[in-house]
């Protein structure tokens, strides 16, 4: 005959924590409920399992072996339950920075869902500084690598930035190609003016301080302003690959900045089948040649 399983769970927590109160907190029950379950178990065994002392409780020597077996068993059950959940999970949550979400993930997501009708995808915004464990998500698409233990990190494409402008702006402004002509144009800034300062220095020019032009809070706002014809922006050419191919934006110079930075696709190494399917699909979307 097996002892009451609920009481065994309470006993294991109390033995491991050496406290009825801490066991109650962990199990989200009252101290009285823990005491009651322990009494039931002691009646079942016909012997005390804990020694009651002035400063708390102490596991009886006769019960130590039972506590060890239960702790190991509950750990195995928990691990197997989590593994089963991961194997059968058909809903994944993808955290993605806005620039990649609006230009690459959302436009193509319908194709993935059509080919994987059994998988539900939830998409949330990620901050650029967030790491996968901080998001609590299954997949993170972001700027910068994550080298944490147990994390798979795959490069998607470079962040290399070059000056771009829309045909509308160039029609109004006239031809722009040399560094001096770019420097004299209406400059648009993404969060800070320092990227343009870096570009102008790299082009052999002395940037004026402060640089004029509007500063946008994020890249999507900057790209919208550039496409609308408000000026010249430094944009990651791989992120804006489609706008460039479609002629909505024109690259004005080969001089680049931020060449050493990249965007990455990040997930746990022990990922479930649905996550693996999503990662393989998205790599193929952004790089159809090698994806």
């Amino acid at each position: 005959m097996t002892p009451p399983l609920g009481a065994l769970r309470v006993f294991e927590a109390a033995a491991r924590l050496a406290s009825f109160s801490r066991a109650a907190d962990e199990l989200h029950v009252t101290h009285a409920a823990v005491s009651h379950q322990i009494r039931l178990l002691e009646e079942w065994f016909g012997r005390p399992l804990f020694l009651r002392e002035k400063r708390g409780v102490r596991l009886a020597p006769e019960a130590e072996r039972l506590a060890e077996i239960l702790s190991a068993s509950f750990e195995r059950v928990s691990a197997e339950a989590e593994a089963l959940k991961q194997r059968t999970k058909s809903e994944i949550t993808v955290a993605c920075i806005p620039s990649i979400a609006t230009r690459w993930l959302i436009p193509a997501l319908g194709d993935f869902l059509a080919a994987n009708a059994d998988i539900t995808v939830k998409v949330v915004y990620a901050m650029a500084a967030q790491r996968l464990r901080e998001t609590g998500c299954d997949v993170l698409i972001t700027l910068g690598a994550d080298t944490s233990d147990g994390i798979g990190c795959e490069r998607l494409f470079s962040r290399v930035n070059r000056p771009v402008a829309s045909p509308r702006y160039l029609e109004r402004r006239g031809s722009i190609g040399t560094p001096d002509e770019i420097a004299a144009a209406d400059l648009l800034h993404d969060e800070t003016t320092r990227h343009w300062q870096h570009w102008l220095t790299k082009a052999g020019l002395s940037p004026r301080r402060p640089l004029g032009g509007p500063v946008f809070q994020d890249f999507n706002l900057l790209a919208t302003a550039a496409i609308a014809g408000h000026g010249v922006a430094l944009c990651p050419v791989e992120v804006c690959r489609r706008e460039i191919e479609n002629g909505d934006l024109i690259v004005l110079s080969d001089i680049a900045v931020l060449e050493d930075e990249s965007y990455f696709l990040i997930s746990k190494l022990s990922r479930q089948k649905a996550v693996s399917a999503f990662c393989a699909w998205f790599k193929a979307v952004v790089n159809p040649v090698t994806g």
Side-chain angles (χ1 to χ4, degrees), residues 5-6 59 61 76 112-113 139 156 163 171 175 210 217 258 262 285:
L5 292 178
L59 189 63
R76 290 181 62 188
F112 176 79
L113 298 177
V139 179
L156 293 173
E171 288 173 6
S175 176
Q217 186 176 11
L258 304 177
S262 296
V285 166

Side-chain angles (χ1 to χ4, degrees), residues 99 143 157-164 182 188-192 194-196 198-200 202 219 222-223 232-240 244 250-263:
S99 58
L143 175 65
F157 40 62
S158 170
R159 193 195 180 189
V160 59
N161 273 232
R162 292 190 172 91
V164 300
I182 293 172
L188 309 177
H189 306 278
D190 182 6
E191 295 186 353
T192 175
R194 63 185 175 87
H195 297 317
W196 265 119
H198 182 197
W199 188 91
L200 292 170
K202 196 168 182 180
F219 173 74
L222 173 74
V232 179
L234 277 174
C235 287
V237 291
E238 285 298 314
V239 174
C240 294
I244 293 170
I250 297 173
V251 178
L252 304 179
S253 172
D254 289 334
I255 300 172
V257 294
L258 304 177
E259 303 101 315
D260 296 333
E261 299 183 16
S262 296
Y263 298 88

Side-chain angles (χ1 to χ4, degrees), residues 32-166:
V34 171
S35 297
H36 176 69
Q37 292 295 320
I38 296 299
R39 281 198 304 272
L40 287 178
L41 206 56
E42 288 177 329
E43 290 175 3
W44 192 93
F45 282 108
R47 65 170 62 231
L49 300 175
F50 290 90
L51 303 178
R52 276 73 170 175
E53 300 175 339
K54 290 183 179 180
R55 301 181 65 178
V57 297
R58 179 164 56 89
L59 189 63
E62 298 87 350
E64 290 179 357
R65 178 61 175 162
L66 176 63
E68 292 174 1
I69 293 173
L70 285 173
S71 290
S73 298
F74 282 127
E75 286 182 7
R76 290 181 62 188
V77 169
S78 177
E80 183 56 34
E82 180 62 25
L84 178 60
K85 178 181 177 182
Q86 293 300 323
R87 287 195 298 270
T88 59
K89 186 178 181 183
S90 60
E91 177 179 314
I92 62 174
T93 302
V94 178
C96 186
I97 57 174
S99 58
I100 306 301
T102 56
R103 280 170 169 72
W104 289 98
L105 176 57
I106 302 303
L109 187 59
D111 294 337
F112 176 79
L113 298 177
N116 299 272
D118 59 326
I119 300 176
T120 300
V121 179
K122 179 180 180 182
V123 179
V124 300
Y125 273 143
M127 303 297 289
Q130 281 184 303
R131 300 298 86 182
L132 180 64
R133 288 192 174 93
E134 296 170 348
T135 68
C137 298
D138 300 294
V139 179
L140 173 63
I141 304 170
T142 190
L143 175 65
D146 188 341
T147 58
S148 305
D149 292 340
I151 297 298
C153 187
E154 302 172 90
R155 183 178 181 274
L156 293 173
F157 40 62
S158 170
R159 193 195 180 189
V160 59
N161 273 232
R162 292 190 172 91
V164 300
S166 72

Side-chain angles (χ1 to χ4, degrees), residues 3-26:
L5 292 178
L8 287 175
R9 183 69 184 91
V10 172
F11 165 76
E12 186 277 332
R16 174 167 41 83
L17 299 170
S19 168
F20 286 7
S21 296
R22 288 199 291 271
D25 290 340
E26 179 178 288

Side-chain angles (χ1 to χ4, degrees), residues 164-171 225-232 247-250:
V164 300
S166 72
R168 183 184 311 176
Y169 180 76
L170 296 176
E171 288 173 6
I227 293 171
H230 296 318
V232 179
D248 296 323
L249 290 173
I250 297 173

